[in-house]
Amino acid sequence: MLRKIDLYLVETELKIRFETSFGGAKKRQAVLVRAEERGGEVGWGEAPADQGPWYSYETAETAFYIISKFLFKYAFQTDDPREFIKLANRVRGHSMAKAGLEMALWDLQAKLEGKPLWKYIGGVRDRIESGVSVGIAKNLEELLKWVEGYLEKGYRRVKLKIKPGWDYEVVKRVRKEFGDIPLQVDANAAYELEDWPHLKKLDEFDLLMLEQPLHYNDLIMHSRLSSLIRTPICLDESIKEPRDVYAGYSIGSFQVVNVKPARVGGLTNTLEINEFTSKVGVPIWIGGMLETGVGRGHLVAAATLSNVRFPNDVSASDRYYEEDLVEPPWVLNTDGTITAPNRPGIGVEVLEERVERHSLKRVTLKS
Ligand code: OSB
Ligand code: MG
């Protein structure tokens, strides 16, 4: 039984401005969820929606509103995360808001059982492969410097953000400078199907995959595109819940899926997607939303699942933030992995003083 839920709308500052085809920012907003049960144990989750509705329609403000107005009462009816999400699905959409609260319940349950979250959800590895997502730069020289720095740190794969005018030549140059590194690109829905001859030119670079080239809600055009180019298509924005995976699989919209636990409505849905894709032989990997160390704990746990077969957009705390909100911060091992902690729950301590210092607003909810 929960005693109370605290919501924090936090704003954190990135080390460097992160730019994609839909825009850029140096600051990030998110909602942190702190769920405390009657015995005093606490679970944490994160709804990593940003300030503006650019990646999806959700924002930190809408997540704060949807949780505090509608979702919280379901968490007082059950603190079983699977049951919670069933009740919460009465609310249509708002996956990140649901995920923020659902993940707090997962962390809480794992802690009550004294188990690391990754073991509690059935993870199969104690270290996860870490890749890095590299934003659009001011110019090629800046980008090459960034990539060089990340490779020196040991990241196992580089993902370049692309958009029309920042694609073919950029990838060509990165291949020339760094050779045969594991490389992929992410368009964040910046192209149209008619652009396929241009996208086909990327085939020459043997990329691991091309992420979300077309419209953020599309499955049909991606299925057409995937028969026109050789580079495997990976969907991100288009997959908002397990049913999108079933639909997309049935018409061949993708060869790989980027599973962001927050985007698909939490860990329950992540587990369902892991199971289905494993059965049909479609590999997945775990994507991120520049989460703070809190959400990152859930990403690390998700990345231990059995069907995760590519490096993840789960990087170390110092790739994102000068000062993370957890202790210890998430660190990259020299072999390019991140260790899944052997402590209960997400396995890191949330520094509440820092959370409060970064909060723009907060509310306490009781049943
Ligand atoms: O498309 O994967 C994306 C960040 C914010 C919004 C969308 C995306 C991203 C990233 C960063 O690529 C992934 C990460 O390191 O958290
Ligand atoms: Mg993406």
Side-chain angles (χ1 to χ4, degrees), residues 96 157 290 331:
M96 294 196 205
R157 165 287 261 154
L290 310 171
V331 293

Side-chain angles (χ1 to χ4, degrees), residues 55 159 161 186 188 211-212 236-237 258 260 313:
Y55 169 80
K159 165 171 133 181
K161 292 292 189 178
D186 183 0
N188 288 106
E211 185 174 332
Q212 196 71 37
D236 173 352
E237 284 91 329
N258 167 344
K260 293 184 180 173
D313 274 352

Side-chain angles (χ1 to χ4, degrees), residues 228-299:
L228 294 166
I229 66 175
R230 197 166 50 84
T231 308
I233 290 181
C234 171
L235 291 187
D236 173 352
E237 284 91 329
S238 291
I239 307 296
K240 300 164 299 296
E241 46 182 327
R243 69 173 57 245
D244 296 322
V245 178
Y246 307 145
Y249 172 72
S250 76
I251 61 169
S253 308
F254 51 73
Q255 285 71 51
V256 186
V257 180
N258 167 344
V259 180
K260 293 184 180 173
R263 190 197 66 232
V264 301
L267 289 175
T268 307
N269 284 350
T270 298
L271 291 169
E272 189 176 324
I273 292 170
N274 180 70
E275 198 171 315
F276 174 79
T277 53
S278 167
K279 232 179 282 171
V280 299
V282 170
I284 65 172
W285 53 281
I286 302 301
M289 294 287 298
L290 310 171
E291 280 89 343
T292 73
V294 177
R296 194 154 307 283
H298 292 273
L299 300 181

